[in-house]
């Protein structure tokens, strides 16, 4: 993303609950590695009623865009207006809700990053050699000031940079959520979709459209998104699971064998 397209951020927290923080370093804590990798591999069932859906968005002429922006600004009760630029693009705000169930990796430090640390961003020339596991506050909400041509992938990357998250952006996905006729629908945005354009088309209503950042749990695991230590850790996890399954099977047959032998000894002879 070029300089002109770099989103600026106004950040608010929707949850007063403090985030969970693990001080283990990934080179020293096998337990934290096991949890992170195990949940990365697991296919978690949906706990909400969101249903995936696809819908088309119409193309607008320049005059229609200008009219839409006027209508949008007339419906909001805040200063989060949209502005039309001379080159035909427009700028505005989108709100992203973070609904992450797994810890994210941040540079190792003595304490979790504060809100001031997040706003300052990483120092120049910083090299991340150690990482810690950090739970972002549940249902945290961020307001982002973006351009109409800012893509969904750029929004994800900018969010991760702002929170000093060093995980691969491909592990995350941006979704749009809508409520229609009492039903909730969820759609994963492609990398090149433009969130602000979707916001303009839907209007300011959060029921009509809201954005959610989640883990990128598509059908298959994207192995290329993991580092070499994580891949080696997955192999150790698979070995542990195989050994545990074998132990349970042997225990089961041993128990059955014991019961059969007890029944044989209890049977009268003859």
């Amino acid at each position: 993303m070029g300089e002109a397209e770099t989103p600026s951020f106004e950040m608010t927290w929707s949850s007063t609950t403090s985030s969970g923080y693990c001080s283990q370093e990934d080179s020293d804590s096998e337990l934290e590695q096991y949890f992170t990798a195990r949940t990365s591999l697991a296919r978690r069932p949906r706990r909400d009623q969101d249903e995936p859906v696809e819908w088309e968005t119409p193309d607008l002429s320049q005059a229609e865009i200008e009219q839409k922006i006027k209508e949008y600004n007339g419906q909001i009760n805040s200063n989060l207006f949209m502005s039309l630029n001379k080159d035909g693009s427009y700028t505005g705000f989108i709100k992203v809700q973070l609904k992450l169930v797994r810890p994210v990796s941040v540079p190792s430090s003595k304490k979790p990053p504060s809100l001031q640390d997040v706003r300052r961003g990483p120092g120049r020339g910083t090299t991340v050699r150690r990482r810690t596991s950090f739970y972002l506050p549940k249902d945290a909400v961020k307001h982002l000031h973006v351009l109409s041509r800012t893509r969904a992938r750029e929004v994800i990357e900018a969010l991760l940079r702002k929170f000093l998250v060093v995980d691969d952006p491909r592990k995350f996905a941006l979704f749009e959520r809508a409520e229609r006729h009492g039903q909730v629908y969820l759609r994963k945005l492609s990398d090149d979709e433009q969130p602000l354009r979707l916001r303009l088309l839907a209007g300011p209503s959060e029921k009509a459209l809201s954005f959610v950042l989640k883990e990128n749990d598509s059908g298959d695991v994207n192995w290329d998104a993991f580092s070499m230590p994580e891949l080696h850790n997955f192999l150790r996890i698979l070995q542990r699971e195989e050994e545990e399954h074998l132990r349970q099977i042997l225990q089961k047959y041993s128990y059955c064998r014991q019961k059969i032998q007890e029944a044989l000894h209890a049977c009268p002879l003859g």
Side-chain angles (χ1 to χ4, degrees):
M1 182 162 37
E3 286 294 324
E5 296 185 26
T6 302
S8 59
F9 292 80
E10 293 185 5
M11 308 191 333
T12 57
W13 300 100
S14 64
S15 172
T16 57
T17 306
S18 61
S19 59
Y21 178 72
C22 303
S23 60
Q24 301 99 326
E25 296 171 347
D26 54 316
S27 59
D28 300 328
S29 173
E30 186 175 305
L31 179 61
E32 188 274 328
Q33 281 188 351
Y34 177 82
F35 174 77
T36 302
R38 184 70 181 88
T39 53
S40 296
L41 282 173
R43 298 266 69 84
R44 291 174 173 266
R46 290 186 181 272
R47 294 184 179 181
D48 51 28
Q49 298 300 316
D50 294 346
E51 294 187 2
V53 69
E54 295 184 3
W55 55 81
E56 296 181 358
T57 55
D59 291 327
L60 300 179
S61 66
Q62 193 62 27
E64 289 173 326
I65 291 175
E66 185 174 358
Q67 181 61 32
K68 280 280 188 181
I69 291 176
K70 289 181 180 179
E71 294 175 357
Y72 183 95
N73 291 340
Q75 297 175 36
I76 61 175
N77 298 318
S78 65
N79 59 349
L80 304 180
F81 299 106
M82 288 196 188
S83 301
L84 186 63
N85 302 321
K86 293 181 179 180
D87 62 358
S89 65
Y90 49 97
T91 58
F93 292 86
I94 60 171
K95 184 171 74 172
V96 181
Q97 183 181 34
L98 280 70
K99 299 187 68 174
L100 303 178
V101 298
R102 304 171 191 157
V104 295
S105 297
V106 298
S108 179
S109 60
K110 295 181 180 180
K111 61 180 180 179
S114 64
L115 188 59
Q116 290 74 20
D117 295 331
V118 170
R119 285 175 173 170
R120 282 196 298 266
R124 294 182 178 179
T126 301
T127 301
V128 178
R129 294 185 179 180
R130 292 181 180 273
R131 302 178 182 180
T132 57
S133 177
F134 177 67
Y135 283 92
L136 291 175
K138 184 180 180 181
D139 291 341
V141 171
K142 306 293 170 288
H143 285 91
L144 290 76
H145 189 241
V146 297
L147 281 167
S148 56
R149 56 177 174 267
T150 301
R151 299 176 299 153
R153 178 52 49 187
E154 294 172 315
V155 169
I156 295 173
E157 293 171 352
L159 274 173
L160 298 182
R161 285 197 305 270
K162 206 67 178 177
F163 281 100
L164 309 181
V165 176
V166 294
D167 291 311
D168 194 303
R170 289 176 293 177
K171 293 183 182 180
F172 306 90
L174 193 64
F175 292 80
E176 64 174 359
R177 190 174 185 272
E179 297 181 27
R180 299 180 179 179
H181 309 295
Q183 182 66 49
V184 175
Y185 298 93
L186 196 70
R187 183 178 74 91
K188 177 181 174 181
L189 301 186
S190 66
D191 289 349
D192 293 329
E193 287 192 76
Q194 300 163 334
L196 189 62
R197 178 175 177 271
L198 298 174
R199 177 80 279 165
L200 178 64
L201 290 171
S205 171
E206 289 295 315
K207 289 187 176 181
L209 174 69
S210 61
F211 295 106
V212 181
L213 182 70
K214 289 188 173 186
E215 283 85 1
N216 190 13
D217 282 336
S218 54
D220 298 325
V221 177
N222 185 7
W223 300 111
D224 293 335
F226 295 95
S227 64
M228 289 296 292
E230 287 176 319
L231 293 174
H232 284 298
N233 200 42
F234 291 157
L235 291 178
R236 290 197 297 270
I237 291 171
L238 292 176
Q239 183 177 355
R240 287 184 187 180
E241 291 185 346
E242 181 181 3
E243 292 172 352
E244 177 62 21
H245 284 307
L246 287 174
R247 186 191 67 80
Q248 292 177 1
I249 292 173
L250 291 174
Q251 186 179 28
K252 174 184 176 181
Y253 281 96
S254 177
Y255 176 80
C256 291
R257 188 180 296 107
Q258 179 184 348
K259 292 299 181 181
I260 292 173
Q261 290 175 346
E262 291 176 354
L264 287 173
H265 289 307
C267 288
L269 296 175

